[in-house]
Short mmCIF file of all heavy atoms in Angstrom, two decimals:
data_model
loop_
_atom_site.label_atom_id
_atom_site.label_comp_id
_atom_site.label_asym_id
_atom_site.label_seq_id
_atom_site.Cartn_x
_atom_site.Cartn_y
_atom_site.Cartn_z
N MET K 1 -26.89 -66.03 -7.49
CA MET K 1 -25.48 -66.33 -7.60
C MET K 1 -25.22 -67.82 -7.80
O MET K 1 -24.11 -68.28 -7.60
CB MET K 1 -24.74 -65.86 -6.37
CG MET K 1 -24.58 -64.38 -6.26
SD MET K 1 -23.49 -63.84 -7.56
CE MET K 1 -23.60 -62.10 -7.37
N ALA K 2 -26.24 -68.53 -8.22
CA ALA K 2 -26.06 -69.96 -8.47
C ALA K 2 -25.09 -70.19 -9.63
O ALA K 2 -24.38 -71.20 -9.66
CB ALA K 2 -27.40 -70.61 -8.76
N TRP K 3 -25.03 -69.24 -10.55
CA TRP K 3 -24.12 -69.40 -11.68
C TRP K 3 -22.67 -69.39 -11.21
O TRP K 3 -21.83 -70.04 -11.81
CB TRP K 3 -24.36 -68.30 -12.73
CG TRP K 3 -24.24 -66.91 -12.18
CD1 TRP K 3 -25.22 -66.16 -11.60
CD2 TRP K 3 -23.06 -66.12 -12.12
NE1 TRP K 3 -24.73 -64.95 -11.19
CE2 TRP K 3 -23.40 -64.89 -11.51
CE3 TRP K 3 -21.75 -66.31 -12.53
CZ2 TRP K 3 -22.47 -63.88 -11.30
CZ3 TRP K 3 -20.84 -65.29 -12.33
CH2 TRP K 3 -21.20 -64.09 -11.71
N LEU K 4 -22.37 -68.66 -10.14
CA LEU K 4 -21.01 -68.63 -9.62
C LEU K 4 -20.61 -69.99 -9.05
O LEU K 4 -19.45 -70.41 -9.18
CB LEU K 4 -20.89 -67.53 -8.55
CG LEU K 4 -19.49 -67.20 -8.05
CD1 LEU K 4 -18.61 -66.74 -9.20
CD2 LEU K 4 -19.56 -66.12 -7.00
N VAL K 5 -21.58 -70.67 -8.46
CA VAL K 5 -21.31 -72.02 -7.93
C VAL K 5 -20.97 -72.97 -9.08
O VAL K 5 -20.00 -73.74 -8.99
CB VAL K 5 -22.51 -72.53 -7.11
CG1 VAL K 5 -22.31 -73.99 -6.72
CG2 VAL K 5 -22.74 -71.67 -5.89
N TRP K 6 -21.73 -72.90 -10.17
CA TRP K 6 -21.49 -73.80 -11.29
C TRP K 6 -20.18 -73.48 -12.01
O TRP K 6 -19.46 -74.39 -12.43
CB TRP K 6 -22.66 -73.76 -12.27
CG TRP K 6 -23.86 -74.42 -11.70
CD1 TRP K 6 -25.01 -73.82 -11.27
CD2 TRP K 6 -24.02 -75.81 -11.42
NE1 TRP K 6 -25.87 -74.75 -10.77
CE2 TRP K 6 -25.29 -75.98 -10.85
CE3 TRP K 6 -23.22 -76.94 -11.60
CZ2 TRP K 6 -25.77 -77.23 -10.46
CZ3 TRP K 6 -23.70 -78.18 -11.22
CH2 TRP K 6 -24.96 -78.30 -10.66
N ILE K 7 -19.87 -72.20 -12.14
CA ILE K 7 -18.59 -71.83 -12.76
C ILE K 7 -17.43 -72.30 -11.88
O ILE K 7 -16.43 -72.84 -12.36
CB ILE K 7 -18.54 -70.31 -13.00
CG1 ILE K 7 -19.51 -69.93 -14.12
CG2 ILE K 7 -17.12 -69.86 -13.35
CD1 ILE K 7 -19.65 -68.45 -14.35
N GLY K 8 -17.55 -72.10 -10.57
CA GLY K 8 -16.53 -72.56 -9.64
C GLY K 8 -16.35 -74.07 -9.68
O GLY K 8 -15.23 -74.58 -9.60
N THR K 9 -17.46 -74.77 -9.81
CA THR K 9 -17.40 -76.23 -9.89
C THR K 9 -16.66 -76.67 -11.16
O THR K 9 -15.83 -77.59 -11.12
CB THR K 9 -18.81 -76.83 -9.88
OG1 THR K 9 -19.49 -76.39 -8.70
CG2 THR K 9 -18.78 -78.34 -9.94
N ALA K 10 -16.93 -75.99 -12.26
CA ALA K 10 -16.25 -76.33 -13.51
C ALA K 10 -14.75 -76.04 -13.41
O ALA K 10 -13.92 -76.86 -13.84
CB ALA K 10 -16.86 -75.54 -14.67
N ILE K 11 -14.39 -74.90 -12.84
CA ILE K 11 -12.98 -74.55 -12.70
C ILE K 11 -12.27 -75.54 -11.78
O ILE K 11 -11.16 -75.99 -12.07
CB ILE K 11 -12.83 -73.10 -12.19
CG1 ILE K 11 -13.32 -72.12 -13.26
CG2 ILE K 11 -11.38 -72.80 -11.83
CD1 ILE K 11 -13.40 -70.69 -12.77
N ALA K 12 -12.90 -75.88 -10.66
CA ALA K 12 -12.30 -76.83 -9.73
C ALA K 12 -12.16 -78.22 -10.37
O ALA K 12 -11.17 -78.92 -10.14
CB ALA K 12 -13.12 -76.91 -8.45
N SER K 13 -13.13 -78.59 -11.19
CA SER K 13 -13.05 -79.89 -11.88
C SER K 13 -11.90 -79.93 -12.87
O SER K 13 -11.19 -80.94 -12.98
CB SER K 13 -14.36 -80.18 -12.60
OG SER K 13 -15.41 -80.28 -11.69
N ILE K 14 -11.69 -78.83 -13.58
CA ILE K 14 -10.55 -78.76 -14.50
C ILE K 14 -9.24 -78.90 -13.72
O ILE K 14 -8.33 -79.61 -14.15
CB ILE K 14 -10.60 -77.45 -15.31
CG1 ILE K 14 -11.78 -77.47 -16.27
CG2 ILE K 14 -9.30 -77.23 -16.08
CD1 ILE K 14 -12.07 -76.14 -16.93
N GLY K 15 -9.17 -78.24 -12.57
CA GLY K 15 -7.98 -78.36 -11.74
C GLY K 15 -7.74 -79.78 -11.26
O GLY K 15 -6.60 -80.26 -11.24
N LEU K 16 -8.81 -80.47 -10.89
CA LEU K 16 -8.67 -81.85 -10.43
C LEU K 16 -8.25 -82.78 -11.57
O LEU K 16 -7.46 -83.71 -11.36
CB LEU K 16 -9.97 -82.34 -9.80
CG LEU K 16 -10.30 -81.75 -8.44
CD1 LEU K 16 -11.67 -82.22 -7.98
CD2 LEU K 16 -9.24 -82.13 -7.43
N ILE K 17 -8.76 -82.53 -12.76
CA ILE K 17 -8.35 -83.33 -13.91
C ILE K 17 -6.86 -83.11 -14.19
O ILE K 17 -6.12 -84.05 -14.48
CB ILE K 17 -9.21 -82.98 -15.14
CG1 ILE K 17 -10.64 -83.50 -14.94
CG2 ILE K 17 -8.61 -83.55 -16.42
CD1 ILE K 17 -11.64 -83.00 -15.94
N MET K 18 -6.42 -81.85 -14.08
CA MET K 18 -5.00 -81.56 -14.27
C MET K 18 -4.14 -82.24 -13.21
O MET K 18 -3.04 -82.71 -13.49
CB MET K 18 -4.77 -80.06 -14.27
CG MET K 18 -5.28 -79.36 -15.53
SD MET K 18 -5.15 -77.57 -15.44
CE MET K 18 -3.38 -77.33 -15.33
N LEU K 19 -4.63 -82.29 -11.97
CA LEU K 19 -3.90 -82.98 -10.91
C LEU K 19 -3.77 -84.47 -11.21
O LEU K 19 -2.73 -85.09 -10.98
CB LEU K 19 -4.57 -82.78 -9.56
CG LEU K 19 -4.38 -81.41 -8.92
CD1 LEU K 19 -5.26 -81.27 -7.70
CD2 LEU K 19 -2.94 -81.18 -8.57
N GLY K 20 -4.83 -85.06 -11.72
CA GLY K 20 -4.77 -86.46 -12.14
C GLY K 20 -3.76 -86.68 -13.25
O GLY K 20 -3.02 -87.68 -13.25
N TYR K 21 -3.70 -85.72 -14.18
CA TYR K 21 -2.69 -85.81 -15.24
C TYR K 21 -1.28 -85.75 -14.65
O TYR K 21 -0.39 -86.49 -15.08
CB TYR K 21 -2.89 -84.69 -16.25
CG TYR K 21 -1.71 -84.54 -17.18
CD1 TYR K 21 -1.52 -85.44 -18.22
CD2 TYR K 21 -0.78 -83.53 -17.00
CE1 TYR K 21 -0.43 -85.34 -19.05
CE2 TYR K 21 0.32 -83.42 -17.83
CZ TYR K 21 0.49 -84.31 -18.86
OH TYR K 21 1.59 -84.21 -19.67
N CYS K 22 -1.07 -84.87 -13.69
CA CYS K 22 0.25 -84.75 -13.07
C CYS K 22 0.66 -86.04 -12.38
O CYS K 22 1.83 -86.46 -12.46
CB CYS K 22 0.26 -83.59 -12.07
SG CYS K 22 0.18 -81.98 -12.84
N ILE K 23 -0.27 -86.66 -11.70
CA ILE K 23 0.03 -87.92 -11.02
C ILE K 23 0.41 -88.99 -12.04
O ILE K 23 1.42 -89.69 -11.88
CB ILE K 23 -1.16 -88.37 -10.16
CG1 ILE K 23 -1.34 -87.41 -8.98
CG2 ILE K 23 -0.97 -89.80 -9.67
CD1 ILE K 23 -2.63 -87.61 -8.22
N SER K 24 -0.39 -89.12 -13.10
CA SER K 24 -0.09 -90.15 -14.09
C SER K 24 1.22 -89.84 -14.84
O SER K 24 1.98 -90.76 -15.15
CB SER K 24 -1.24 -90.30 -15.07
OG SER K 24 -1.39 -89.13 -15.84
N ALA K 25 1.49 -88.56 -15.09
CA ALA K 25 2.75 -88.21 -15.78
C ALA K 25 3.95 -88.50 -14.89
O ALA K 25 4.99 -88.96 -15.38
CB ALA K 25 2.72 -86.74 -16.18
N ALA K 26 3.83 -88.26 -13.60
CA ALA K 26 4.94 -88.55 -12.69
C ALA K 26 5.18 -90.05 -12.58
O ALA K 26 6.33 -90.51 -12.54
CB ALA K 26 4.66 -87.96 -11.32
N VAL K 27 4.12 -90.83 -12.55
CA VAL K 27 4.27 -92.29 -12.50
C VAL K 27 4.91 -92.81 -13.78
O VAL K 27 5.81 -93.66 -13.74
CB VAL K 27 2.90 -92.97 -12.24
CG1 VAL K 27 2.96 -94.46 -12.46
CG2 VAL K 27 2.42 -92.65 -10.84
N ARG K 28 4.47 -92.27 -14.93
CA ARG K 28 5.09 -92.68 -16.20
C ARG K 28 6.56 -92.28 -16.25
O ARG K 28 7.38 -93.04 -16.77
CB ARG K 28 4.34 -92.05 -17.38
CG ARG K 28 3.10 -92.83 -17.76
CD ARG K 28 2.45 -92.27 -19.00
NE ARG K 28 1.58 -91.17 -18.57
CZ ARG K 28 1.54 -89.97 -19.11
NH1 ARG K 28 2.31 -89.66 -20.12
NH2 ARG K 28 0.72 -89.05 -18.64
N ALA K 29 6.88 -91.11 -15.73
CA ALA K 29 8.28 -90.67 -15.73
C ALA K 29 9.13 -91.56 -14.83
O ALA K 29 10.29 -91.84 -15.13
CB ALA K 29 8.37 -89.22 -15.27
N LYS K 30 8.56 -92.00 -13.73
CA LYS K 30 9.31 -92.86 -12.81
C LYS K 30 9.56 -94.24 -13.43
O LYS K 30 10.61 -94.84 -13.21
CB LYS K 30 8.54 -92.99 -11.50
CG LYS K 30 9.29 -93.75 -10.44
CD LYS K 30 8.52 -93.80 -9.16
CE LYS K 30 9.29 -94.60 -8.12
NZ LYS K 30 8.58 -94.71 -6.87
N ARG K 31 8.60 -94.71 -14.20
CA ARG K 31 8.74 -96.04 -14.81
C ARG K 31 9.80 -96.07 -15.90
O ARG K 31 10.41 -97.11 -16.14
CB ARG K 31 7.40 -96.51 -15.38
CG ARG K 31 6.43 -96.92 -14.31
CD ARG K 31 5.15 -97.44 -14.90
NE ARG K 31 4.21 -97.75 -13.83
CZ ARG K 31 2.93 -97.90 -14.01
NH1 ARG K 31 2.41 -97.77 -15.22
NH2 ARG K 31 2.14 -98.17 -13.00
N THR K 32 9.99 -94.95 -16.60
CA THR K 32 11.04 -94.91 -17.61
C THR K 32 12.36 -94.68 -16.91
O THR K 32 12.46 -93.94 -15.95
CB THR K 32 10.79 -93.78 -18.62
OG1 THR K 32 10.79 -92.53 -17.93
CG2 THR K 32 9.49 -93.96 -19.35
N ASN K 33 13.35 -95.34 -17.37
CA ASN K 33 14.67 -95.22 -16.75
C ASN K 33 15.44 -94.10 -17.45
O ASN K 33 16.20 -94.33 -18.37
CB ASN K 33 15.43 -96.54 -16.83
CG ASN K 33 14.78 -97.60 -15.97
OD1 ASN K 33 14.20 -97.27 -14.95
ND2 ASN K 33 14.87 -98.84 -16.39
N LEU K 34 15.22 -92.88 -16.98
CA LEU K 34 15.89 -91.72 -17.56
C LEU K 34 17.11 -91.36 -16.73
O LEU K 34 17.21 -91.70 -15.55
CB LEU K 34 14.94 -90.52 -17.60
CG LEU K 34 13.71 -90.64 -18.49
CD1 LEU K 34 12.82 -89.43 -18.31
CD2 LEU K 34 14.13 -90.77 -19.94
N GLU K 35 18.01 -90.63 -17.37
CA GLU K 35 19.16 -90.12 -16.63
C GLU K 35 18.69 -89.01 -15.70
O GLU K 35 17.56 -88.51 -15.81
CB GLU K 35 20.20 -89.59 -17.60
CG GLU K 35 20.83 -90.66 -18.45
CD GLU K 35 21.86 -90.09 -19.40
OE1 GLU K 35 22.28 -88.93 -19.20
OE2 GLU K 35 22.25 -90.81 -20.32
N ASP K 36 19.56 -88.61 -14.80
CA ASP K 36 19.20 -87.63 -13.77
C ASP K 36 18.75 -86.30 -14.37
O ASP K 36 17.73 -85.74 -13.96
CB ASP K 36 20.38 -87.42 -12.83
CG ASP K 36 19.99 -86.61 -11.61
OD1 ASP K 36 18.88 -86.82 -11.08
OD2 ASP K 36 20.80 -85.76 -11.19
N ALA K 37 19.48 -85.80 -15.34
CA ALA K 37 19.15 -84.49 -15.92
C ALA K 37 17.82 -84.54 -16.67
O ALA K 37 17.01 -83.62 -16.57
CB ALA K 37 20.26 -84.04 -16.86
N ALA K 38 17.59 -85.61 -17.40
CA ALA K 38 16.33 -85.74 -18.14
C ALA K 38 15.15 -85.90 -17.18
O ALA K 38 14.07 -85.34 -17.41
CB ALA K 38 16.41 -86.93 -19.08
N MET K 39 15.37 -86.64 -16.11
CA MET K 39 14.30 -86.82 -15.12
C MET K 39 13.98 -85.49 -14.44
O MET K 39 12.82 -85.16 -14.23
CB MET K 39 14.71 -87.86 -14.08
CG MET K 39 13.66 -88.12 -13.02
SD MET K 39 12.17 -88.88 -13.66
CE MET K 39 12.69 -90.57 -13.73
N ARG K 40 15.00 -84.73 -14.11
CA ARG K 40 14.79 -83.42 -13.49
C ARG K 40 14.00 -82.49 -14.41
O ARG K 40 13.09 -81.79 -13.97
CB ARG K 40 16.12 -82.76 -13.14
CG ARG K 40 16.72 -83.24 -11.87
CD ARG K 40 17.97 -82.42 -11.57
NE ARG K 40 18.76 -83.03 -10.54
CZ ARG K 40 18.59 -82.78 -9.25
NH1 ARG K 40 17.66 -81.94 -8.86
NH2 ARG K 40 19.35 -83.38 -8.36
N ALA K 41 14.35 -82.48 -15.68
CA ALA K 41 13.66 -81.62 -16.64
C ALA K 41 12.19 -82.00 -16.76
O ALA K 41 11.30 -81.13 -16.78
CB ALA K 41 14.34 -81.69 -18.00
N ARG K 42 11.92 -83.29 -16.81
CA ARG K 42 10.54 -83.74 -16.94
C ARG K 42 9.74 -83.43 -15.67
O ARG K 42 8.60 -82.98 -15.73
CB ARG K 42 10.50 -85.23 -17.24
CG ARG K 42 9.08 -85.72 -17.53
CD ARG K 42 9.04 -87.14 -17.95
NE ARG K 42 9.62 -87.29 -19.29
CZ ARG K 42 9.63 -88.44 -19.94
NH1 ARG K 42 9.12 -89.51 -19.39
NH2 ARG K 42 10.16 -88.51 -21.14
N LEU K 43 10.36 -83.66 -14.52
CA LEU K 43 9.65 -83.40 -13.26
C LEU K 43 9.45 -81.91 -13.02
O LEU K 43 8.44 -81.52 -12.43
CB LEU K 43 10.39 -84.05 -12.10
CG LEU K 43 10.31 -85.57 -12.04
CD1 LEU K 43 11.11 -86.09 -10.87
CD2 LEU K 43 8.88 -86.05 -11.98
N GLN K 44 10.37 -81.06 -13.48
CA GLN K 44 10.16 -79.62 -13.35
C GLN K 44 8.96 -79.17 -14.15
O GLN K 44 8.19 -78.33 -13.70
CB GLN K 44 11.41 -78.87 -13.81
CG GLN K 44 12.52 -78.88 -12.80
CD GLN K 44 13.76 -78.16 -13.29
OE1 GLN K 44 13.87 -77.84 -14.47
NE2 GLN K 44 14.70 -77.93 -12.39
N ARG K 45 8.77 -79.74 -15.32
CA ARG K 45 7.58 -79.41 -16.13
C ARG K 45 6.31 -79.89 -15.44
O ARG K 45 5.31 -79.17 -15.40
CB ARG K 45 7.71 -80.07 -17.50
CG ARG K 45 6.56 -79.79 -18.42
CD ARG K 45 6.78 -80.44 -19.79
NE ARG K 45 5.60 -80.35 -20.58
CZ ARG K 45 4.64 -81.27 -20.63
NH1 ARG K 45 4.77 -82.37 -19.94
NH2 ARG K 45 3.58 -81.10 -21.37
N ILE K 46 6.37 -81.07 -14.86
CA ILE K 46 5.20 -81.61 -14.16
C ILE K 46 4.87 -80.76 -12.93
O ILE K 46 3.70 -80.51 -12.64
CB ILE K 46 5.43 -83.09 -13.79
CG1 ILE K 46 5.50 -83.94 -15.05
CG2 ILE K 46 4.35 -83.60 -12.86
CD1 ILE K 46 5.94 -85.37 -14.81
N VAL K 47 5.88 -80.30 -12.22
CA VAL K 47 5.65 -79.47 -11.03
C VAL K 47 4.99 -78.14 -11.42
O VAL K 47 4.09 -77.66 -10.72
CB VAL K 47 6.96 -79.24 -10.25
CG1 VAL K 47 6.83 -78.15 -9.22
CG2 VAL K 47 7.40 -80.53 -9.58
N ALA K 48 5.41 -77.57 -12.54
CA ALA K 48 4.79 -76.32 -13.00
C ALA K 48 3.31 -76.53 -13.32
O ALA K 48 2.45 -75.72 -12.94
CB ALA K 48 5.53 -75.79 -14.22
N ILE K 49 3.00 -77.62 -13.98
CA ILE K 49 1.59 -77.94 -14.28
C ILE K 49 0.83 -78.21 -12.99
O ILE K 49 -0.33 -77.81 -12.84
CB ILE K 49 1.51 -79.14 -15.25
CG1 ILE K 49 2.14 -78.78 -16.59
CG2 ILE K 49 0.07 -79.60 -15.44
CD1 ILE K 49 2.31 -79.95 -17.52
N ASN K 50 1.48 -78.88 -12.04
CA ASN K 50 0.86 -79.19 -10.76
C ASN K 50 0.48 -77.91 -10.00
O ASN K 50 -0.61 -77.82 -9.43
CB ASN K 50 1.80 -80.05 -9.93
CG ASN K 50 1.15 -80.59 -8.69
OD1 ASN K 50 -0.06 -80.69 -8.62
ND2 ASN K 50 1.96 -80.95 -7.72
N MET K 51 1.37 -76.93 -9.99
CA MET K 51 1.07 -75.67 -9.31
C MET K 51 -0.09 -74.94 -9.97
O MET K 51 -0.95 -74.36 -9.29
CB MET K 51 2.31 -74.77 -9.29
CG MET K 51 3.38 -75.27 -8.38
SD MET K 51 2.78 -75.28 -6.69
CE MET K 51 4.12 -76.07 -5.88
N ALA K 52 -0.13 -74.96 -11.30
CA ALA K 52 -1.25 -74.34 -12.01
C ALA K 52 -2.55 -75.06 -11.69
O ALA K 52 -3.60 -74.42 -11.52
CB ALA K 52 -0.98 -74.34 -13.52
N ALA K 53 -2.51 -76.37 -11.60
CA ALA K 53 -3.70 -77.14 -11.28
C ALA K 53 -4.19 -76.84 -9.87
O ALA K 53 -5.40 -76.70 -9.64
CB ALA K 53 -3.41 -78.63 -11.43
N LEU K 54 -3.27 -76.73 -8.94
CA LEU K 54 -3.66 -76.40 -7.57
C LEU K 54 -4.27 -75.01 -7.50
O LEU K 54 -5.25 -74.78 -6.78
CB LEU K 54 -2.45 -76.50 -6.64
CG LEU K 54 -1.99 -77.91 -6.31
CD1 LEU K 54 -0.68 -77.86 -5.54
CD2 LEU K 54 -3.04 -78.66 -5.54
N MET K 55 -3.70 -74.06 -8.25
CA MET K 55 -4.25 -72.71 -8.28
C MET K 55 -5.66 -72.70 -8.86
O MET K 55 -6.56 -72.04 -8.32
CB MET K 55 -3.34 -71.78 -9.08
CG MET K 55 -3.79 -70.33 -9.05
SD MET K 55 -2.75 -69.25 -10.02
CE MET K 55 -3.26 -69.72 -11.67
N LEU K 56 -5.88 -73.44 -9.93
CA LEU K 56 -7.22 -73.52 -10.51
C LEU K 56 -8.21 -74.14 -9.53
O LEU K 56 -9.35 -73.67 -9.42
CB LEU K 56 -7.19 -74.35 -11.79
CG LEU K 56 -6.87 -73.62 -13.07
CD1 LEU K 56 -6.82 -74.60 -14.23
CD2 LEU K 56 -7.85 -72.53 -13.36
N SER K 57 -7.80 -75.17 -8.85
CA SER K 57 -8.69 -75.81 -7.88
C SER K 57 -9.06 -74.85 -6.74
O SER K 57 -10.22 -74.78 -6.33
CB SER K 57 -8.04 -77.06 -7.30
OG SER K 57 -7.86 -78.01 -8.29
N VAL K 58 -8.09 -74.11 -6.26
CA VAL K 58 -8.35 -73.15 -5.18
C VAL K 58 -9.27 -72.04 -5.65
O VAL K 58 -10.22 -71.67 -4.94
CB VAL K 58 -7.02 -72.60 -4.62
CG1 VAL K 58 -7.25 -71.40 -3.73
CG2 VAL K 58 -6.28 -73.67 -3.87
N ILE K 59 -9.02 -71.51 -6.83
CA ILE K 59 -9.88 -70.45 -7.36
C ILE K 59 -11.31 -70.97 -7.56
O ILE K 59 -12.28 -70.29 -7.24
CB ILE K 59 -9.30 -69.88 -8.66
CG1 ILE K 59 -8.05 -69.08 -8.35
CG2 ILE K 59 -10.32 -69.01 -9.40
CD1 ILE K 59 -7.28 -68.64 -9.57
N GLY K 60 -11.43 -72.19 -8.08
CA GLY K 60 -12.76 -72.78 -8.26
C GLY K 60 -13.48 -72.96 -6.94
O GLY K 60 -14.68 -72.66 -6.83
N LEU K 61 -12.78 -73.44 -5.93
CA LEU K 61 -13.41 -73.64 -4.63
C LEU K 61 -13.79 -72.31 -3.98
O LEU K 61 -14.81 -72.20 -3.31
CB LEU K 61 -12.50 -74.45 -3.71
CG LEU K 61 -12.37 -75.92 -4.11
CD1 LEU K 61 -11.34 -76.61 -3.23
CD2 LEU K 61 -13.69 -76.63 -4.04
N MET K 62 -12.98 -71.27 -4.21
CA MET K 62 -13.33 -69.94 -3.70
C MET K 62 -14.59 -69.42 -4.38
O MET K 62 -15.44 -68.80 -3.73
CB MET K 62 -12.17 -68.96 -3.89
CG MET K 62 -11.03 -69.17 -2.93
SD MET K 62 -9.80 -67.86 -2.91
CE MET K 62 -9.30 -67.76 -4.60
N CYS K 63 -14.71 -69.67 -5.68
CA CYS K 63 -15.93 -69.26 -6.39
C CYS K 63 -17.15 -69.98 -5.84
O CYS K 63 -18.22 -69.37 -5.68
CB CYS K 63 -15.79 -69.53 -7.88
SG CYS K 63 -14.68 -68.42 -8.74
N VAL K 64 -17.01 -71.26 -5.57
CA VAL K 64 -18.13 -72.01 -5.01
C VAL K 64 -18.53 -71.46 -3.65
O VAL K 64 -19.72 -71.23 -3.37
CB VAL K 64 -17.78 -73.52 -4.91
CG1 VAL K 64 -18.81 -74.27 -4.09
CG2 VAL K 64 -17.65 -74.13 -6.29
N VAL K 65 -17.56 -71.20 -2.79
CA VAL K 65 -17.86 -70.67 -1.45
C VAL K 65 -18.51 -69.30 -1.55
O VAL K 65 -19.50 -69.02 -0.86
CB VAL K 65 -16.57 -70.64 -0.59
CG1 VAL K 65 -16.78 -69.87 0.68
CG2 VAL K 65 -16.11 -72.06 -0.30
N MET K 66 -17.98 -68.44 -2.42
CA MET K 66 -18.58 -67.11 -2.58
C MET K 66 -19.99 -67.21 -3.13
O MET K 66 -20.89 -66.46 -2.71
CB MET K 66 -17.71 -66.25 -3.50
CG MET K 66 -16.40 -65.83 -2.88
SD MET K 66 -16.60 -64.93 -1.33
CE MET K 66 -17.39 -63.47 -1.90
N GLY K 67 -20.21 -68.11 -4.07
CA GLY K 67 -21.56 -68.31 -4.60
C GLY K 67 -22.54 -68.79 -3.56
O GLY K 67 -23.70 -68.36 -3.53
N VAL K 68 -22.09 -69.67 -2.68
CA VAL K 68 -22.97 -70.16 -1.61
C VAL K 68 -23.27 -69.05 -0.61
O VAL K 68 -24.41 -68.87 -0.18
CB VAL K 68 -22.33 -71.39 -0.91
CG1 VAL K 68 -23.06 -71.75 0.37
CG2 VAL K 68 -22.29 -72.57 -1.86
N PHE K 69 -22.25 -68.27 -0.24
CA PHE K 69 -22.47 -67.18 0.72
C PHE K 69 -23.37 -66.08 0.16
O PHE K 69 -24.17 -65.49 0.88
CB PHE K 69 -21.15 -66.57 1.17
CG PHE K 69 -20.46 -67.36 2.24
CD1 PHE K 69 -19.08 -67.52 2.20
CD2 PHE K 69 -21.15 -67.95 3.27
CE1 PHE K 69 -18.42 -68.24 3.18
CE2 PHE K 69 -20.51 -68.67 4.26
CZ PHE K 69 -19.15 -68.82 4.21
N LEU K 70 -23.25 -65.81 -1.12
CA LEU K 70 -24.03 -64.74 -1.73
C LEU K 70 -25.44 -65.16 -2.13
O LEU K 70 -26.26 -64.31 -2.45
CB LEU K 70 -23.28 -64.16 -2.94
CG LEU K 70 -21.96 -63.47 -2.63
CD1 LEU K 70 -21.27 -63.05 -3.91
CD2 LEU K 70 -22.18 -62.27 -1.73
N SER K 71 -25.69 -66.44 -2.10
CA SER K 71 -27.04 -66.93 -2.47
C SER K 71 -28.02 -66.79 -1.34
O SER K 71 -27.78 -66.71 -0.22
CB SER K 71 -26.99 -68.38 -2.90
OG SER K 71 -26.28 -68.51 -4.10
#
């Protein structure tokens, strides 16, 4: 089951990269002086990506744990 550990690591890494993107996108959005409605729209999109990234990270970590237990 070593392959499950490597697949989980790849999935978790993709999730972490997406989290880094969310952080940088939020910082860029804060630096631009947008109106309230435009800022809300941009942050809602970032929050949706953030939730997907967290889900990928959790699924990847679960795969790693299952791979370790089954090995």
Side-chain angles (χ1 to χ4, degrees):
M1 288 292 174
W3 57 272
L4 189 59
V5 172
W6 289 108
I7 290 174
T9 303
I11 293 172
S13 297
I14 292 169
L16 288 175
I17 290 169
M18 288 174 63
L19 285 172
Y21 167 76
C22 289
I23 292 169
S24 66
V27 168
R28 278 185 275 132
K30 186 177 178 181
R31 286 183 183 162
T32 60
N33 293 329
L34 296 175
E35 294 180 14
D36 190 40
M39 180 66 81
R40 279 185 193 271
R42 186 174 290 185
L43 288 179
Q44 283 178 348
R45 180 178 172 268
I46 293 171
V47 167
I49 296 170
N50 189 22
M51 290 297 174
L54 287 173
M55 185 181 73
L56 273 178
S57 295
V58 167
I59 289 172
L61 289 174
M62 285 191 305
C63 288
V64 169
V65 169
M66 289 303 294
V68 168
F69 279 140
L70 295 175
S71 293

